[in-house]
Amino acid sequence: MDSRSLQSQVQRSAQVDSQKEFPKVAIIVPAYNEGVSITEVLEELNTQNPGNWDVIVVNDHSQDNTLEKALKLAKTVIDLPINLGIGGCVQSGLLYAYRMNYDIAIQFDSDGQHVAHEIKTLLWSMSESKADVVIGSRFISSFSGQFQSSFTRRLGIKLISLATKILTGKAIKDPTSGFRAFNKSAIKLFANNYPVHFPEPESIIQLHKNNLEIQEVSTLMYPRQGGRSSIGKKALFYMINVLLGMFITALRPQLKKH
């Protein structure tokens, strides 16, 4: 990271740290077979916690020792009896956050890609922009050496970004990012209705259709430390299906407010 990027990051964090009142924040950590990385992830979250974060692991019926490790370090562990996939896993966390009346929920992956210190960047951006959802992005980054993933993935993300622009008019450069902050309005929306198969890009369409605002902010990310990507080797199959899912979501009526 170069000195200018570091200075920018410190300034943003300082603005958040200087606030006298903090919202009640749920850090939702979806986890499926992340035993290799989850201990380090949770230890980092606990170290960076200013006192108002509650770390909530949603164990998606893992077959390794993810649950055992999560129980030692997380404030709350939701142990799903069956595997729901990333969509159902995140929605379970958002439903918990909604029922427990959290002000903000942060989606934070358990594979080591996300940086706990950058949660303050999302909170700062939400406070400044008044957006309903803030997405942490790799592709508007000023960080030197920022992790960008493979060429194939970047190409796929660009296609999804183009589809997002066509369907919503919004330029989201990292629409598949799982590092996100949700305010109460977004928590309520997604606690009741959240995409199952391709939640990150489809949820952007849902937010647009329900007149909720989205902000994208540069955040540092690392390569995944363990586990397997949900995309894997079926990149072309994934791309076709996610684009179809986005267009179908765009055709659906506005979600009902409960």
Side-chain angles (χ1 to χ4, degrees), residues 125 129-135 164 168 170-172 180-181 201 203-209 211-217:
S125 180
S129 67
K130 308 302 181 185
D132 298 289
V133 172
V134 175
I135 301 173
T164 302
T168 69
K170 298 181 182 294
I172 305 295
R180 300 184 175 196
S203 63
I204 295 173
I205 311 299
Q206 287 188 350
L207 289 165
H208 173 69
K209 290 180 69 67
N211 302 314
L212 295 184
E213 292 298 320
I214 310 166
Q215 177 74 21
E216 194 174 21
V217 65

Side-chain angles (χ1 to χ4, degrees), residues 98-208:
Y98 174 65
R99 289 179 174 175
M100 299 302 291
N101 198 33
Y102 282 90
D103 299 304
I104 296 174
I106 305 288
Q107 181 183 344
F108 192 95
D109 288 351
S110 55
D111 58 13
Q113 288 193 82
H114 301 157
V115 182
H117 189 77
E118 291 282 36
I119 290 172
K120 295 177 182 179
T121 301
L122 297 189
L123 296 174
W124 166 82
S125 180
M126 179 167 280
S127 176
E128 290 293 305
S129 67
K130 308 302 181 185
D132 298 289
V133 172
V134 175
I135 301 173
S137 174
R138 292 161 285 184
F139 303 121
I140 55 174
S141 176
S142 58
F143 296 123
S144 176
Q146 168 75 293
F147 167 63
Q148 298 285 338
S149 74
S150 68
F151 170 78
T152 302
R153 280 178 174 271
R154 293 199 307 272
L155 179 60
I157 290 169
K158 285 185 178 180
L159 289 174
I160 295 171
S161 180
L162 176 61
T164 302
K165 176 70 173 178
I166 293 171
L167 294 172
T168 69
K170 298 181 182 294
I172 305 295
K173 292 188 176 181
D174 201 356
T176 65
S177 171
F179 188 29
R180 300 184 175 196
F182 306 84
N183 71 2
K184 279 193 170 185
S185 295
I187 291 172
K188 182 177 180 180
L189 177 74
F190 289 139
N192 293 290
N193 296 277
Y194 195 70
V196 175
H197 300 294
F198 311 106
E200 283 83 13
E202 289 184 26
S203 63
I204 295 173
I205 311 299
Q206 287 188 350
L207 289 165
H208 173 69

Side-chain angles (χ1 to χ4, degrees), residues 45 66 68 166 186 192 257:
L45 284 169
T66 296
E68 177 185 349
I166 293 171
N192 293 290
K257 304 260 190 323

